[in-house]
Amino acid sequence: MKEQQIFSSNLRTRMKQRRFTVFVKDLFSRFKNQVRGGSLHVTASIVLCLSIGSTVVILVMFINDHVKKYLASSENPCSYLLCNSSLSSPSLPPLIQSPNASGSLSDLIAPKELWHSMKDKELLWRASMVPHIDEYPYSRTPKVAFMFLTRGRLPLAELWEKFFDGHEGLYSIYVHTSPEFSEQPPESSAFYNRRIPSKPVEWGGATMVDAERRLLANALLDFSNERFLLLSETCIPIFNFTTIYNYLINSKQSFIGSFDDPRANARGRYNKRLCPTVNISDWRKGSQWFELDRKLAREMVSDVKYYPVFRKHCKPPCYMDEHYLPTLVTKRWPQLNSNRSITWVDWSAGGPHPVTFMRKDVSEEFLKRIRNGINCTYNGSITTVCFLFARKFHPSTLEPLLRIAPSLLGFNL
Ligand SMILES: *[C@@H]1O[C@H](CO)[C@@H](O)[C@H](O)[C@H]1NC(C)=O
Ligand SMILES: *[C@@H]1O[C@H](CO)[C@@H](O)[C@H](O)[C@H]1NC(C)=O
Ligand SMILES: *[C@@H]1O[C@H](CO)[C@@H](O)[C@H](O)[C@H]1NC(C)=O
Ligand SMILES: *[C@@H]1O[C@H](CO)[C@@H](O)[C@H](O)[C@H]1NC(C)=O
Ligand SMILES: *[C@@H]1O[C@H](CO)[C@@H](O)[C@H](O)[C@H]1NC(C)=O
Ligand SMILES: *[C@@H]1O[C@H](CO)[C@@H](O)[C@H](O)[C@H]1NC(C)=O
Ligand SMILES: *[C@@H]1O[C@H](CO)[C@@H](O)[C@H](O)[C@H]1NC(C)=O
């Protein structure tokens, strides 16, 4: 059966071929006759018709191709519909599952855990990053970062707890301690889990500035922190939270004490080896307890020009924590600084250390005097509110301070 089929199909093919040969031969002989008979123009017409036909076919194919491409291109509004229908196909997973999913924006806005394993160099690099779009893609409430530089526990923590109470979301706390200190306050405390990875600090040495930069860098990782305040364990607030928050958030300048003084304990500490990076007319002195806006905080952690020169050439009797920041800011961004500290201190007794106040010194009268004792400028206008904090308060002052706080400072009764 099969062989028969193959035989017959072969036969059919051969018969077709023979018929075609006969047709071509016939056409050829007719052509010869026509050439001889002078009827060439009939053949020419046929050739012309055939070529016009094929041109039309090619043209139709070409146009068809272009129409398809045009439909698919984005110039056509209809093509959005085509793309959109394929995008919304259920086989693709949703891009964002929950606002906390890893890889979400919340991971970048603020670290979930304060503790980390970054080395200082890695931390400073991470903290030096700046967004280049001014508008935040989320609702941002600016916060004040309270950065405590202490040896161990905060003896006046109870006063600070009362100060912070009820203002959650407007502040963040960072604590740098001695590395061996590992005491954890109760979970209900504002200081719970707020210790940052710390290193040993030597009084008056460069490690003090390293600790300040470490605090700033950790606080910069939270994009909501707008103002950065350095405090010691002997500092107290002398106004309520609302007053302090508004004063800092609404100030167009930072508060870094900065002055030029020809005497031995200021210009006298200048080291010629700092030249030419810093010359004697650039040299400034100021209190270590600064308050910075976000720009200056970022500049301080990302300074790779002045910092190494100070580290190398500003050694006792040059104290880096009293000269580095005032000199840097005055040289680079003088208009961003008010040149005054907002932390009150009493140097009147003379000597290398300011007065430490004891239990017997603390009274309502005393605190009132500190609050409105002098005139200064704030945002370009004169004010009597020049200090928001004060130091140095001995642990024994906690009891009288807690007694005065409700009436004078208005913290929770
Ligand atoms: C795209 O598809 C989504 C969901 O299928 C729909 O909500 C949206 O309106 C569509 N967009 C356009 C431009 O058609
Ligand atoms: C997302 O984060 C918020 C605040 O950090 C938390 O209250 C909430 O429980 C988290 N949700 C999930 C699903 O993890
Ligand atoms: C201080 O100046 C800045 C910038 O001009 C302004 O935004 C802010 O409201 C001012 N603060 C006060 C308390 O006037
Ligand atoms: C110090 O440097 C500043 C530029 O930073 C320059 O204007 C000033 O004249 C220099 N002063 C001295 C004493 O060299
Ligand atoms: C702070 O001091 C610098 C340098 O002396 C000066 O340019 C700047 O105007 C001062 N700022 C204020 C608020 O006085
Ligand atoms: C502060 O300025 C006011 C007037 O503006 C003046 O009466 C007062 O004596 C000044 N206070 C001090 C401590 O200089
Ligand atoms: C905070 O202090 C200011 C003035 O110092 C006062 O007007 C305000 O009522 C106080 N706020 C609270 C909550 O006590």
Side-chain angles (χ1 to χ4, degrees), residues 275-282 331:
C275 214
T277 314
V278 170
N279 68 27
I280 188 73
S281 21
D282 299 327
K331 188 169 167 70

Side-chain angles (χ1 to χ4, degrees), residues 254-275:
S254 296
F255 300 95
I256 308 149
S258 174
F259 57 88
D260 184 15
D261 183 341
R263 284 176 296 174
N265 64 4
R267 276 203 183 202
R269 295 178 181 173
Y270 175 77
N271 182 343
K272 283 198 188 73
R273 295 213 183 91
L274 290 162
C275 214

